[in-house]
Amino acid sequence: MKLNKIFGNMHLFEVNSMKKLLFFTAALAAGILLSFEAAIGGALGENIGELEASFFVFAVGAVVLFPTALIFQRHHVNAAFRFPKWELTGGFLGAFYLVMLLFSVNMVGVGVSMVAVIIGQIMISIVIDHFGWFGIPRISFDRNRLIAVVLLISALFLII
């Protein structure tokens, strides 16, 4: 469903602002859920082992996502095999991320682990933006981004 149908005659700027707010809220919710996933996966890892817990987290995710993708995005599922194969490496990266996260949660806790994850994400995101890797539009590294990284690293030391 298009946002124009939902918001009717709202000015385009208002629709774009609402759209950005919607996606920001979705990303915020994803971050919240990621911390829950880390805590729950860490508990499961304590009981059955981190590798096994990671496997079960991905297996349950696949069981949920596969039929959902077939129902709502059937034509996109088939198209995934026509693109460059390196674009499918996200599964490997996601598995590596989850295993490392579950190990770290059990050693240093959810808070420290998530701050470290956020610092890692921000740092590599800035590099990806700066160089325009993977077809992403270039956004130059500047003083504000440097300050953001320094503040995040400071947050890690404060939360430890």
Side-chain angles (χ1 to χ4, degrees):
M1 179 179 300
K2 296 199 179 244
L3 287 175
N4 296 358
K5 290 182 181 177
I6 296 171
F7 296 112
N9 292 329
M10 290 179 78
H11 187 269
L12 184 60
F13 175 76
E14 293 170 334
V15 171
N16 285 337
S17 295
M18 294 291 287
K19 189 176 180 181
K20 286 181 180 180
L21 179 62
L22 177 67
F23 285 112
F24 173 81
T25 304
L28 183 64
I32 291 168
L33 293 175
L34 194 59
S35 292
F36 278 117
E37 178 189 30
I40 293 166
L44 183 60
E46 278 287 308
N47 289 323
I48 66 171
E50 286 81 4
L51 287 173
E52 294 85 351
S54 298
F55 170 77
F56 281 107
V57 167
F58 270 98
V60 169
V63 166
V64 170
L65 285 176
F66 186 68
T68 304
L70 286 179
I71 292 168
F72 293 106
Q73 299 288 320
R74 169 171 272 143
H75 59 285
H76 291 161
V77 172
N78 293 332
F81 297 102
R82 292 191 298 261
F83 290 100
K85 300 303 177 237
W86 69 265
E87 291 180 0
L88 298 174
T89 60
F92 168 77
L93 296 173
F96 183 77
Y97 157 77
L98 186 60
V99 170
M100 294 297 103
L101 179 63
L102 297 187
F103 274 112
S104 72
V105 163
N106 287 329
M107 298 304 284
V108 297
V110 176
V112 172
S113 296
M114 295 312 296
V115 170
V117 164
I118 292 167
I119 291 170
Q121 288 175 330
I122 295 294
M123 288 172 58
I124 196 63
S125 296
I126 288 171
V127 171
I128 291 169
D129 282 347
H130 182 75
F131 291 107
W133 292 347
F134 312 112
I136 302 297
R138 288 183 170 206
I139 301 173
S140 295
F141 184 75
D142 61 10
R143 187 178 55 145
N144 289 340
R145 288 174 169 239
L146 175 63
I147 292 169
V149 170
V150 169
L151 289 173
L152 283 167
I153 292 170
S154 301
L156 180 62
F157 286 105
L158 291 174
I159 200 167
I160 293 175

